[in-house]
Amino acid sequence: MLKKYLWVFFVSMVPIIELRGAIPISQGLGLPIGWSYVVSIIGNMLPVPFIYLFARKVLEWGADKPLIGGFFSWCLAKGESGGQKLQEKAGRGLFIALMLFVGVPLPGTGAWTGTLAASILDMDFKSSVLAVMCGVLLAGVIMMIASFGVFGVLLS
């Protein structure tokens, strides 16, 4: 059982997949939804402080390197466009906008992109992490509900 939870934990840390993929995987593995939710949130949030503090610097450093430059430039562009969209829509409500950006489980929105966007927008660390955490909690609830629906249909 620990091995299954480790899978869920590590999948929730992977960019793009994150908790949006980890919770359905946990249900496919037959794990209890409550513990899966907690493990997925911890795994999804663990990289957030590191992303905020270091990702922008690393991406800027690597953007002109031969082998990695294209990917790093793409990541920077993704974070910048996400940040610009957030700022345009949010105005003064940037915290709520970041929370909803992270919380709505769509491709390209999540803790990784949201944290990078917050870093690029120079949001303060505490507000960024709190908004991302609220968004991850929201995304987890949405994915639990969706997983119950999908697996309920498949198992009946």
Side-chain angles (χ1 to χ4, degrees):
M1 176 105 79
L2 178 62
K3 188 176 179 181
K4 291 179 181 180
Y5 279 117
L6 285 173
W7 267 105
V8 171
F9 177 76
F10 287 119
V11 165
S12 69
M13 292 174 70
V14 175
I16 301 171
I17 299 171
E18 301 183 28
L19 145 144
R20 294 152 170 71
I23 289 179
I25 287 171
S26 75
Q27 296 311 284
L29 293 171
L31 295 172
I33 192 72
W35 284 110
S36 299
Y37 178 73
V38 170
V39 169
S40 296
I41 288 170
I42 293 169
N44 202 180
M45 287 301 299
L46 190 64
V48 166
F50 301 102
I51 296 165
Y52 182 88
L53 296 171
F54 303 113
R56 182 178 177 183
K57 293 173 185 155
V58 170
L59 292 172
E60 288 171 349
W61 167 83
D64 62 349
K65 303 296 185 259
L67 293 175
I68 57 175
F71 177 69
F72 279 34
S73 295
W74 177 83
C75 290
L76 260 177
K78 185 77 172 157
E80 288 173 0
S81 72
Q84 288 171 352
K85 287 178 189 174
L86 272 176
Q87 199 148 30
E88 288 169 10
K89 291 180 181 179
R92 302 193 102 179
L94 196 53
F95 180 91
I96 299 293
L98 179 59
M99 180 191 75
L100 293 174
F101 179 82
V102 173
V104 176
L106 296 171
T109 67
W112 282 75
T113 307
T115 305
L116 182 58
S119 171
I120 289 170
L121 290 173
D122 291 323
M123 282 181 70
D124 71 285
F125 179 77
K126 187 177 177 181
S127 295
S128 300
V129 171
L130 189 58
V132 169
M133 174 65 125
C134 291
V136 167
L137 292 170
L138 175 62
V141 169
I142 292 169
M143 291 312 300
M144 281 194 315
I145 292 167
S147 293
F148 275 136
V150 170
F151 285 100
V153 169
L154 291 176
L155 297 176
S156 30

